Amino acid sequence: MHTTRTGIACALCSTPTTELVYLVLSAQLPFPQREDVQDRWCPAGCHQLHPERWKETMPLLPGDDV
């Protein structure tokens, strides 16, 4: 199941980021078993205005190049 949520603060402007999260659910338990942040962006547009600085300052997501 995919959902969006408020994430960590943007390193460039301190606005809370928005995260696209994949939740692994279980029929046996009422809460998610695992969650993977698949995408993160800044509502203020820092990820588009300064893409290189964004990549340098924000934590890597699973699957990002090192």
Side-chain angles (χ1 to χ4, degrees), residues 10-64:
C10 173
L12 302 178
C13 72
S14 299
T15 302
T17 59
T18 303
E19 297 177 338
L20 176 64
V21 182
Y22 179 71
L23 301 174
V24 179
L25 303 176
S26 168
Q28 289 79 25
L29 300 170
F31 50 87
Q33 294 302 294
R34 188 180 81 238
E35 55 183 44
D36 294 319
V37 178
Q38 295 189 331
D39 196 10
R40 179 183 298 129
W41 62 92
C42 177
C46 294
H47 65 290
Q48 294 173 331
L49 295 173
H50 311 286
E52 291 304 316
R53 286 182 52 207
W54 171 266
K55 287 180 184 178
E56 291 173 5
T57 59
M58 294 301 292
L60 293 175
L61 295 174
D64 282 351

